[in-house]
C-alpha cells in the first residue's frame, strides 16, 4: 500500500467517525426535545403550533378569561367597511330577546277561568308549563304559560279579557350579547379540549397522562356548563313566558269595629259616635256606641255582636243607624248602642262577626269574618258627706256580711257537733259506774255458796 492509498483510507475513517458523532448528537437532542414537550404539557397544554387571534387569547388566559372579552366588538362601528356593516345589520335584525310577563286577573270563578285561559293559550300554539291552585277561603290559581314570542302580545290581550286586570308587568330582556359571548367561549373551550385530547394520546408517561387528564376533565366540565347555559337562554328566547294569577273578584271580605262612649242615657244613641273613653261617677248612665264598617269587597250579613264584660248581645242593643238583619255593602256602616250604669271601672270586650254574600246572593257561612275592639269606661267615687242612703246601704251591707259570717260559722260547727256529744256520753257512763261502786252491800242477803 502506497502513501496516497493510506492517506485516502484515513480520510474515509475520519469522515465515518465524524458522521457517527453527528448522528449521536442528533439522537440525544431528539430525546431531550421529547422530554421538554411532555414537561411543557404540564403547564401549557395548548402551546403548540402557531395560533390565531382568538386561540392566542385562549392560550394566554384560558377559555374562562376569554369570557371577559367584550362582545360588543362584533358590532361594526359607523363608517366601517362593507363586510362589517353587514355583520352589524345582521346583529340588529336578529336580536335575542326574552319576553316575560306577570298578569293578575280577578274573576268570578277561578276554576272555570283557569280552564278558559288554558284553551286560549293552546289556540295560539302555546302550552301550560306549570300550575298551582289554592281553594277556600281565598281561591287562587297560578298558571305559567309558554307561547311563541310572535303571539306574546296577543296572548296577553286574550288573558286580560278573561276578567278584571289587577296587575300586569311585562319585560323584554336582550340577551344577544350573552349568547354571542357564550358561543365564543364554547368555541374556544372546544379547541382547547381537542388539543388536550391530542396531547393525551401522545403522552408516554404516567405523570403526563395524569396531569393532562386532570386538565381535560376541568375543561370538559366547564364546557358542558357553558353549553347548558346557552341552551337555557336559547329556550327562553324561543318561547315567551307568561305567569297568570287568577283570584276571585270578590274574595276579601273584611269588617272594622270601632267602639266609643259618652255620658248619659235617653237619646237612643243619637249622639253616637262618642269619645274614645269616658270618666263618670259610679252609677251614672253611660252610652256605649258600636260602629261596624264593611271595609272589604263583599257584602256582609248575619251580624252577631257580643260583649262578655257588658253581658250584652245583638238583641240587647239599640239600633242607631242601619239594619243589623240586612246586608251591608262594601263601604257602608252600621251603628248600634248599649246603655249602662257602671259601678266600677270597666274595659269592654266586644266581638262582631258577619257572613259574606257572593255575587249570586248566597251566604258563605264557611268564610265568616270578625273584628274585636274595646273601650275604657272609668267610674270614680264622687266623694262628699255620706247621706241617709249611704248609711242605709252601709247597714244593709254590714248585715249581709254578718249573715255571711254566721253561715260560715254554722258550716264549720255543724260537722263537729258529734264530738261534744260523744264526750258527754262518755262522762255520763263513767259517772254511772262510780255511783254503782259507792252503794254498800246488804247484811241480810245470803252469803254466796262455797265453790
Amino acid at each position: 500500500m502506497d502513501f496516497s492509498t493510506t492517506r485516502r483510507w484515513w480520510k474515509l475513517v475520519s469522515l465515518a467517525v465524524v458522521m457517527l458523532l453527528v448522528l449521536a448528537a442528533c439522537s440525544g437532542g431528539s430525546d431531550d426535545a421529547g422530554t421538554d414537550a411532555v414537561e411543557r404539557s404540564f403547564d401549557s397544554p395548548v402551546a403548540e403550533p402557531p395560533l390565531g387571534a382568538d386561540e392566542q387569547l385562549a392560550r394566554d388566559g384560558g377559555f374562562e378569561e376569554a369570557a371577559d372579552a367584550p362582545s360588543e366588538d362584533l358590532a361594526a362601528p359607523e363608517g366601517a367597511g362593507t363586510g362589517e356593516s353587514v355583520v352589524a345589520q345582521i346583529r340588529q335584525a336578529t336580536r335575542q330577546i326574552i319576553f316575560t310577563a306577570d298578569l293578575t286577573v280577578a274573576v268570578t270563578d277561578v276554576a272555570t277561568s283557569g280552564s278558559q285561559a288554558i284553551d286560549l293559550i293552546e289556540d295560539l300554539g302555546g302550552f301550560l308549563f306549570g300550575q298551582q291552585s289554592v281553594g277556600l277561603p281565598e281561591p287562587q290559581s297560578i298558571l305559567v304559560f309558554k307561547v311563541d314570542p310572535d303571539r306574546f302580545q296577543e296572548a296577553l290581550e286574550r288573558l286580560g279579557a278573561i276578567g278584571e286586570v289587577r296587575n300586569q308587568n311585562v319585560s323584554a330582556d336582550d340577551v344577544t350579547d350573552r349568547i354571542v359571548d357564550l358561543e365564543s367561549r364554547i368555541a374556544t373551550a372546544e379547541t382547547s379540549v381537542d388539543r388536550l385530547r391530542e396531547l393525551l394520546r401522545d403522552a408516554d408517561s404516567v405523570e403526563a397522562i395524569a396531569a393532562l387528564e386532570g386538565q381535560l376533565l376541568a375543561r370538559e366540565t366547564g364546557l358542558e356548563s357553558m353549553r347548558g347555559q346557552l341552551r337555557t337562554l336559547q329556550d327562553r328566547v324561543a318561547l315567551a313566558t307568561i305567569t297568570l294569577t287568577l283570584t276571585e273578584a270578590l274574595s276579601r271580605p273584611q269588617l272594622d269595629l270601632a267602639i266609643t262612649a259618652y255620658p248619659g242615657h235617653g237619646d237612643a244613641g243619637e249622639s253616637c259616635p262618642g269619645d274614645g273613653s269616658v270618666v263618670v261617677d259610679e252609677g251614672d248612665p253611660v252610652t256605649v256606641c258600636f260602629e261596624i264598617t264593611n271595609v272589604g269587597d263583599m257584602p256582609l250579613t248575619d251580624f252577631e255582636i257580643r260583649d262578655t264584660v257588658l253581658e250584652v248581645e245583638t238583641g240587647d242593643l239599640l239600633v242607631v243607624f242601619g239594619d243589623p238583619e240586612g246586608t251591608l255593602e262594601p263601604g257602608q256602616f252600621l251603628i248600634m248602642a248599649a246603655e249602662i250604669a257602671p259601678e266600677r271601672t270597666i274595659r269592654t270586650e266586644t266581638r262582631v262577626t258577619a257572613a259574606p254574600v257572593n255575587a249570586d246572593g248566597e251566604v258563605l257561612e264557611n268564610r265568616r269574618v270578625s273584628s274585636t275592639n274595646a273601650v275604657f269606661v272609668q267610674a270614680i267615687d264622687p266623694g262628699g258627706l255620706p247621706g241617709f242612703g249611704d248609711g242605709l246601704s252601709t247597714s244593709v251591707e254590714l248585715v249581709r256580711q254578718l249573715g255571711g259570717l254566721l253561715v260560715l260559722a254554722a258550716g264549720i260547727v255543724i260537722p263537729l257537733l258529734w264530738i261534744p256529744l260523744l264526750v258527754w256520753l262518755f262522762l255520763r257512763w263513767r259517772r254511772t259506774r262510780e255511783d254503782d261502786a259507792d252503794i254498800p252491800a246488804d247484811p241480810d242477803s245470803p252469803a254466796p255458796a262455797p265453790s
Side-chain angles (χ1 to χ4, degrees):
M1 180 180 300
D2 57 2
F3 178 77
S4 61
T5 301
T6 303
R7 185 177 181 182
R8 241 186 342 268
W9 171 254
W10 281 110
K11 285 183 178 181
L12 291 174
V13 172
S14 301
L15 181 59
V17 172
V18 171
M19 291 181 64
L20 289 173
L21 292 175
V22 170
L23 288 174
C26 291
S27 176
S30 176
D31 293 339
D32 294 339
T35 304
D36 293 340
V38 174
E39 291 176 353
R40 286 196 304 271
S41 69
F42 294 158
D43 301 325
S44 181
V46 295
E48 296 92 37
L51 306 176
D54 292 339
E55 295 173 346
Q56 184 64 39
L57 178 60
R59 172 185 175 180
D60 294 341
F63 64 84
E64 292 295 339
E65 288 77 10
D68 298 332
S71 59
E72 287 77 11
D73 293 344
L74 297 175
E78 296 183 2
T82 303
E84 293 182 351
S85 299
V86 172
V87 172
Q89 292 173 5
I90 292 175
R91 292 185 72 250
Q92 186 67 24
T94 59
R95 305 300 297 178
Q96 305 293 315
I97 309 295
I98 297 176
F99 292 97
T100 58
D102 292 321
L103 186 65
T104 302
V105 179
V107 296
T108 56
D109 190 327
V110 171
T112 303
S113 299
S115 300
Q116 182 182 355
I118 294 174
D119 294 338
L120 291 176
I121 293 299
E122 290 179 348
D123 290 342
L124 296 176
F127 60 91
L128 178 65
F129 189 72
Q131 181 175 3
Q132 180 182 0
S133 299
V134 178
L136 297 176
E138 295 186 3
Q140 185 182 72
S141 183
I142 302 176
L143 303 98
V144 180
F145 296 108
K146 295 289 185 178
V147 67
D148 189 280
D150 296 335
R151 314 299 294 273
F152 179 69
Q153 189 60 40
E154 183 180 359
L156 287 178
E157 294 175 357
R158 290 194 179 189
L159 293 176
I162 294 177
E164 178 185 354
V165 177
R166 295 285 179 87
N167 184 35
Q168 177 174 307
N169 296 315
V170 180
S171 64
D173 185 12
D174 188 347
V175 295
T176 305
D177 293 342
R178 293 171 59 187
I179 291 179
V180 171
D181 181 60
L182 278 173
E183 290 174 342
S184 175
R185 294 170 60 189
I186 289 172
T188 303
E190 289 174 343
T191 302
S192 176
V193 168
D194 291 340
R195 288 176 178 172
L196 282 173
R197 288 172 178 169
E198 293 176 0
L199 289 174
L200 185 60
R201 284 194 297 268
D202 298 336
D204 56 359
S205 67
V206 176
E207 293 79 4
I209 292 174
L212 290 171
E213 285 183 343
Q215 294 190 33
L216 180 60
L217 178 60
R219 298 293 175 90
E220 288 178 337
T221 302
L223 177 60
E224 290 303 318
S225 176
M226 289 187 292
R227 285 173 176 170
Q229 296 177 32
L230 179 62
R231 285 193 297 268
T232 300
L233 287 176
Q234 290 173 337
D235 291 343
R236 294 181 64 189
V237 169
L239 291 174
T241 303
I242 300 176
T243 302
L244 174 66
T245 302
L246 297 175
T247 61
E248 282 196 358
L250 303 176
S251 62
R252 290 178 175 82
Q254 188 177 359
L255 58 83
D256 178 72
L257 172 63
I259 305 179
T260 56
Y262 64 89
H265 284 173
D267 61 351
E270 293 295 333
S271 299
C272 288
D275 299 326
S277 60
V278 295
V279 179
V280 296
D281 291 340
E282 295 176 351
D284 283 357
V286 175
T287 301
V288 180
C289 308
F290 308 95
E291 184 176 358
I292 305 165
T293 306
N294 185 351
V295 295
D297 55 7
M298 299 184 68
L300 300 176
T301 189
D302 191 17
F303 292 92
E304 294 182 2
I305 305 173
R306 177 175 297 177
D307 192 301
T308 56
V309 176
L310 300 181
E311 297 181 352
V312 295
E313 297 183 356
T314 309
D316 304 323
L317 303 179
L318 301 173
V319 179
V320 180
F321 181 83
D323 182 8
E325 297 182 358
T327 300
L328 198 64
E329 297 294 332
Q332 294 182 348
F333 61 91
L334 168 68
I335 299 178
M336 304 185 74
E339 295 180 342
I340 62 174
E343 297 291 341
R344 57 183 178 84
T345 298
I346 60 174
R347 180 182 184 274
T348 65
E349 290 291 341
T350 309
R351 177 182 175 84
V352 58
T353 63
V357 180
N358 61 17
D360 298 329
E362 299 174 347
V363 179
L364 307 178
E365 287 291 345
N366 59 334
R367 298 186 62 185
R368 293 187 71 87
V369 293
S370 64
S371 180
T372 304
N373 209 337
V375 68
F376 279 99
V377 178
Q378 185 176 1
I380 60 175
D381 186 354
L385 295 175
F388 175 79
D390 295 331
L392 181 61
S393 61
T394 302
S395 300
V396 171
E397 180 66 20
L398 181 60
V399 171
R400 186 184 67 80
Q401 292 181 1
L402 290 175
L405 292 175
L406 292 175
V407 171
L408 178 62
I412 296 173
V413 171
I414 290 175
L416 302 177
L417 287 178
W418 62 274
I419 295 176
L421 178 61
L422 183 62
V423 172
W424 178 79
L425 291 175
F426 174 75
L427 294 176
R428 185 173 179 181
W429 170 77
R430 184 175 180 180
R431 183 176 179 181
T432 301
R433 290 192 60 186
E434 291 177 350
D435 292 343
D436 292 341
D438 294 339
I439 297 176
D442 188 358
D444 298 331
S445 60
S451 58

